[in-house]
Amino acid sequence: MLVGSIRLQRVSLGRYTTAGSCGVINVCKKSCYSTKPAFELKENETSINGNSFAKDEWTNVTPAILSKVNRQLHLQPKNPISIIRQLIESNFTDFKTFNEFSPVVSTKQNFDDLYIPKDHPSRTKSDNYYFNKDTVLRAHTSAHQLQGLASGENKFLISGDVYRRDEIDSSHYPVFHQIEGFFYLDNDLNKLKAELQRLQATETPNIELVDNTVIKPENPIQACHSAEASDLIAAHLKHSINTMIRNLFADEKDLKVRWIDAYFPFTSPSWEVEILYKGEWLEVLGCGVVNQKIMNGAGLDNKIGWAFGMGLERLAMVLFGIPDIRLFWSEDSRFIDQFTPGKINKFVPFSKFPPCIKDISFWLPEGEWHENDFCELIRGEAGDIVENVQLIDDFRHPKNNKRSLCYRINYRSMDRNVTNDEINEIQEKVRRVVQEQFKVELR
């Protein structure tokens, strides 16, 4: 619980870096970046990068999350996330790039402008980080589509950090990075055909394709588009995506790509794209024909376009062989110095320290239980020393119908040994805060 005003500031102390008055210690071998005091939490408002937002019942941003806002891993040249971004951009050389939009956006940008329904679960407090009911940390780079369209560019890429409350394990983190691609042109059949022919003449990706998608009521052509125009722009999209994937996975000799039907409020028809990588189908992106309401909202009524969005962490973990998503945030030179801009090489582990496992069990009070909120609280208390959190028991008492949960917390540092005494102290803090915040009865 934050009372009064707390300002966080990174202070480099040789091998250790502390985060001011919060008492959180991040251990690293070398400080690779510097952040000025960027945010301030007061009783009635939150300030970040010079802007202030009044608190209300929706406010749930945390110091741990706000401390990440200025890291911008996608712009650090030697970080694998940035390397993947650059490689994707190299496949779209004539696209304008936008890489520095602020992650602080309005709920209108994040939801309404994309025609996400008011009752859609993606709007909940348990899925997002709100400054207040009108302002949020973006949950996707799609929040900037109208800004891209307002630039006058008809083809552009947007990349940046995005924020979603999530579970804790080796492949999930509350801050990750996306890149968004957008292309449009005149809704004219002759121009659409000519553009598709131009594109197909320049690239012929060597991919084994599985694409059994068909137009159907669950994934329809928009009523304002002709079937032929929708087919042409979809073919343009698919060729562009297949070419990019082939180039990214150039070392995968027998690459297989699968297109499957999907649903997104901001595209129709919509698809997800998966690749067969080391024997398993891996989802890499979502895409589709842009909802014409978005085009019309930008004054582009006579245009038709496509868009795609993809997570950079997932691709980087596969291509670089990085086993734990927390490593992307490491300041350890043993991690950063392994990578070279423009080149994909496999990560070489530099340490593997033993875990320290603790369980926490409790009886729930009446009402809803959101696991994302529980994980967020643990992150706030323990930081990145938590490797994963797993529900190991869910029991309902046969007599009083009370529900009991037991979670296993795996503590492991990526760069040092942790002691049992140290983890016991953290675990006691976690138990205390869980009891206070969620009104549970500890067991």
Side-chain angles (χ1 to χ4, degrees), residues 89 92-99 148 151-159 180-182:
E89 289 177 352
F92 298 95
T93 54
D94 56 347
F95 278 51
K96 173 72 175 178
T97 57
F98 299 100
N99 299 321
S151 71
E153 301 288 341
N154 78 311
K155 52 184 86 169
F156 53 85
L157 299 170
I158 301 170
S159 69
E180 180 106 355
F182 203 108

Side-chain angles (χ1 to χ4, degrees), residues 213-344:
T213 57
V214 294
I215 300 302
K216 50 191 173 184
E218 297 81 10
N219 195 22
I221 293 173
Q222 297 171 54
C224 55
H225 294 159
S226 70
E228 190 171 3
S230 187
D231 286 347
L232 287 168
I233 197 69
H236 192 281
L237 163 67
K238 290 184 175 183
H239 190 90
S240 300
I241 296 300
N242 290 335
T243 300
M244 175 188 66
I245 291 174
R246 172 72 275 176
N247 291 336
L248 281 176
F249 290 85
D251 294 334
E252 189 75 3
K253 294 180 180 179
D254 301 312
L255 184 64
K256 294 182 180 180
V257 176
R258 179 168 71 180
W259 288 72
I260 59 176
D261 291 312
Y263 166 78
F264 306 109
F266 29 84
T267 55
S268 187
S270 304
W271 302 279
E272 288 177 347
V273 181
E274 300 178 335
I275 60 168
L276 188 64
Y277 187 78
K278 295 188 175 179
E280 294 186 2
W281 286 105
L282 175 73
E283 179 193 335
V284 293
L285 62 87
C287 61
V289 178
V290 175
N291 186 328
Q292 193 61 34
K293 292 178 181 178
I294 295 174
M295 304 299 297
N296 297 348
L300 300 169
D301 305 52
N302 63 336
K303 310 295 183 183
I304 187 171
W306 56 250
F308 74 83
M310 60 197 308
L312 297 178
E313 272 84 350
R314 172 167 288 187
L315 280 175
M317 291 179 79
V318 169
L319 290 170
F320 288 92
I322 294 172
D324 193 313
I325 197 168
R326 295 176 298 165
L327 279 165
F328 293 116
W329 296 90
S330 175
E331 299 174 78
D332 196 317
S333 60
R334 292 174 296 175
F335 176 75
I336 295 295
D337 291 347
Q338 289 192 34
F339 307 108
T340 303
K343 181 182 178 183
I344 293 176

Side-chain angles (χ1 to χ4, degrees), residues 363-366 433-442:
W363 294 103
L364 291 177
E366 293 185 5
V433 175
V434 167
Q435 183 180 38
E436 291 173 355
Q437 292 293 319
F438 299 122
K439 310 303 180 187
V440 301
E441 180 185 342
L442 294 175

Side-chain angles (χ1 to χ4, degrees), residues 186-197:
D186 291 341
N187 190 354
D188 177 280
L189 293 180
N190 290 329
K191 291 182 179 180
L192 286 166
K193 290 176 182 176
E195 170 60 20
L196 180 60
Q197 290 171 357

Side-chain angles (χ1 to χ4, degrees), residues 14-17 26-31 330-332 415:
R15 187 171 180 269
Y16 293 87
T17 301
N26 294 322
V27 181
C28 59
K29 194 167 181 68
K30 176 182 175 183
S31 181
S330 175
E331 299 174 78
D332 196 317
D415 48 28

Side-chain angles (χ1 to χ4, degrees), residues 356-362 374 378 386 388-393 404-411 420 423-424 426-432 434 442-443:
C356 187
I357 296 171
K358 301 290 180 181
D359 292 348
I360 178 172
S361 59
F362 43 82
F374 173 69
I378 293 176
V386 179
N388 61 60
V389 175
Q390 183 180 9
L391 178 65
I392 60 172
D393 186 60
S404 170
L405 301 178
C406 182
Y407 285 92
R408 178 155 293 165
I409 305 174
N410 190 343
Y411 295 94
N420 200 54
I423 299 305
N424 281 340
I426 294 173
Q427 180 74 357
E428 282 306 309
K429 287 174 57 182
V430 167
R431 286 173 58 84
R432 183 175 64 252
V434 167
L442 294 175
R443 300 183 65 184

